[in-house]
Amino acid sequence: MIRFAIEIDGKRHQIALPPGMLAASPGTGSAAAPVPEEAAPGTVTAPVAGTLSLWQIGDGETVEAGQVIAVIEAMKMETQIEAPHAGRLTHLASAGDMLAQGAPIGRIDAG
């Protein structure tokens, strides 16, 4: 089972779906990326399942802690992803990629 977090009326709920439910429907593109068991240090992960709609910071650029680095869209709602700490950002996903909750989108190396 793959677990996801959803928000209903301001309350966060966990749901679980069989992996086959994530397969792409004909004409809809690729399935969501699989979620790794444990992310490497410095890895920035998707807080929700959705589409990486925009990188605010370019690959290889320096970021500050708390700076918005990317935006994920899910069900017409946007979620801003902030840098957890300062360093140099490396993109691990591309704009337009469909991501599962917890999927790696980038890495921030101290520097």
Side-chain angles (χ1 to χ4, degrees):
M1 297 298 261
I2 298 176
R3 298 194 178 281
F4 295 92
I6 61 171
E7 190 170 308
I8 301 172
D9 293 330
K11 294 182 182 178
R12 193 172 181 99
H13 302 275
Q14 292 285 328
I15 62 170
L17 298 173
M21 299 265 317
L22 294 177
S25 299
T28 61
S30 61
V35 179
E37 289 298 318
E38 193 171 313
T43 301
V44 179
T45 59
V48 296
T51 302
L52 179 59
S53 59
L54 174 68
W55 278 106
Q56 295 280 3
I57 304 296
D59 189 39
E61 292 186 23
T62 302
V63 297
E64 298 296 324
Q67 184 176 3
V68 175
I69 60 171
V71 177
I72 290 182
E73 182 179 327
M75 298 178 63
K76 305 286 183 193
M77 295 182 67
E78 293 184 343
T79 301
Q80 295 182 341
I81 301 170
E82 298 178 355
H85 58 273
R88 185 167 309 278
L89 174 67
T90 301
H91 294 178
L92 300 178
S94 300
D97 285 355
M98 292 180 63
L99 304 166
Q101 178 186 10
I105 64 162
R107 185 180 68 243
I108 299 177
D109 298 312

